[in-house]
Amino acid sequence: SERSRMTSAELVIDSGESLAELLDQTEAVEAYAASLSFGGLIAKDDNTTTFFGSGVEVPKMYDVLPQTDKIVVDGRFPEKGEEGFCVLGSGLAKNIGAVVGDLVVLMANTIHGQVNAVDAEVSGIVKTGIPIVDEGLLISDMKIAIDARSLMNPPTGVANYLITAINQISEAYPACVLY
């Protein structure tokens, strides 16, 4: 059939909504949360450095990654309904001198090739156990990532999905990233 000859990207990248509908209908998918990758510069006072990270659907993130709070060394991840917050890797926080409660400025390239800046409050500091990751990691709510990239809300065709599946793969890899 025509569908069987399509690549995986052609099957799932119609729009974010159709992918969410597909995931809702897939029995093996236990939980999923949209994430939007972005990166750029982060500044606090006179300190500026690069970051990489994701904006995530905060309420759903805990279903996909229930152990998330175990990597927090100070503060917390944002709660459902909170916007304008970010969590920093411990090395990134140290490099710019940020602590929980500080306001940081995130600068990212928009989808239009311009630079946009958004403010975010640091709600937590995390330590992943991988120092090079901790030096650049930033996790924000989805609104911060959308605003930084100047995207329409909700993102369609640009979101990744963190997925927990209830099958043999999930036993080896509890959270899979689908691109």
Side-chain angles (χ1 to χ4, degrees), residues 10-30:
E10 292 170 320
L11 285 171
V12 297
I13 308 296
D14 291 336
S15 76
E17 288 183 63
S18 66
L19 181 54
E21 290 170 8
L22 177 66
L23 292 171
D24 284 335
Q25 297 167 8
T26 303
E27 196 173 306
V29 173
E30 188 175 272

Side-chain angles (χ1 to χ4, degrees), residues 78 83-87 99-104 119-124 144:
E83 293 180 340
F85 292 90
C86 66
V87 174
V99 297
V100 172
D102 282 349
L103 196 63
V104 294
D119 294 331
E121 183 178 329
V122 178
S123 66
I144 290 281

Side-chain angles (χ1 to χ4, degrees), residues 7 23 27 35 47 51 54 65 67 69 73 75 86 93 96 124 134 136 138-139 143 155 161-162 169 172:
T7 67
L23 292 171
E27 196 173 306
S35 74
N47 301 315
F51 75 90
S54 293
L65 302 169
Q67 305 293 320
D69 287 333
V73 294
C86 66
I96 63 168
D134 293 338
L138 180 141
I139 302 168
K143 184 174 181 346
Y161 280 81
L162 300 170
I169 294 173

Side-chain angles (χ1 to χ4, degrees), residues 33-95:
S35 74
L36 179 62
S37 298
F38 73 117
L41 297 174
I42 181 171
K44 181 188 172 288
D45 300 328
D46 293 333
N47 301 315
T48 303
T49 191
T50 59
F51 75 90
F52 62 90
S54 293
V56 296
E57 285 182 296
V58 174
K60 292 183 172 185
M61 178 187 71
Y62 294 107
D63 295 333
V64 179
L65 302 169
Q67 305 293 320
T68 301
D69 287 333
K70 293 190 187 264
I71 63 171
V72 176
V73 294
D74 191 20
R76 62 181 176 77
F77 271 89
E79 297 291 328
K80 181 179 180 178
E82 289 183 316
E83 293 180 340
F85 292 90
C86 66
V87 174
L88 304 179
S90 58
L92 178 58
K94 182 179 177 184
N95 288 341

